[in-house]
Amino acid sequence: MLRHLTQNDSVRSDDCTRYAAGHRVHWIHAKKCRQEPGRAVEILLTSGDVRDDGWVELRPAFDYSGELPVVWTHAPLSLRETLAGHRGRVYWLERWHALKLVEGEGGGGLGDERGAGLVNVGLQGGALCEVGSARCGTS
């Protein structure tokens, strides 16, 4: 199950121990996302956007001239649960292949890290992690 954590950690699945693309966020990855976020695009993302196979199509929240990728997560059910309870903004951090969930309206989303969580996503798919098991598919 995914859970929201503070700025020093990530939104993650407790059942997975992998740090590969689409799985858990390593602490160094989280640190880099915070210190050097690069271009951040605010996106519209709801639980209904997460497909059963883990693929998620990203849609910009505002006019955006670039293309956003379709990304993959190892735990689509957990991500849906997190998004269903999320009441803030979501950003695509292109440089780090991560989604950043920010609670509340303050700070323009990136300046105030309190209540933020990260989701490590992949540009290629893999096997979904088994719920309730430490086993996780390779990507």
Side-chain angles (χ1 to χ4, degrees):
M1 173 173 303
L2 291 177
R3 57 190 170 98
H4 287 282
L5 299 173
T6 63
Q7 66 185 18
N8 296 320
D9 214 331
S10 64
V11 174
R12 69 172 187 238
S13 173
D14 292 330
D15 297 332
C16 179
T17 59
R18 295 199 64 212
Y19 290 107
H23 297 266
R24 292 179 67 175
V25 177
H26 191 274
W27 71 269
I28 295 172
H29 189 183
K31 180 179 176 182
K32 290 293 189 182
C33 286
R34 233 180 13 265
Q35 292 177 343
E36 307 167 22
R39 180 172 67 168
V41 178
E42 188 169 355
I43 60 173
L44 297 173
L45 189 62
T46 67
S47 58
D49 295 321
V50 182
R51 295 184 352 201
D52 290 340
D53 60 3
W55 288 101
V56 182
E57 186 172 351
L58 303 182
R59 299 172 291 137
F62 302 101
D63 287 341
Y64 177 71
S65 61
E67 289 188 34
L68 295 177
V70 176
V71 297
W72 180 83
T73 180
H74 68 121
L77 296 176
S78 295
L79 180 56
R80 277 191 204 121
E81 181 180 291
T82 296
L83 289 170
H86 183 66
R87 298 293 177 256
R89 296 178 177 191
V90 181
Y91 295 88
W92 163 240
L93 302 181
E94 178 182 30
R95 179 177 185 187
W96 303 109
H97 295 175
L99 302 176
K100 183 170 185 174
L101 284 67
V102 180
E103 291 293 337
E105 300 292 323
L110 294 174
D112 183 2
E113 297 283 333
R114 286 173 284 130
L118 295 171
V119 178
N120 180 15
V121 293
L123 299 179
Q124 296 181 350
L128 299 177
C129 291
E130 296 178 22
V131 176
S133 168
R135 291 183 48 211
C136 198
T138 59
S139 58

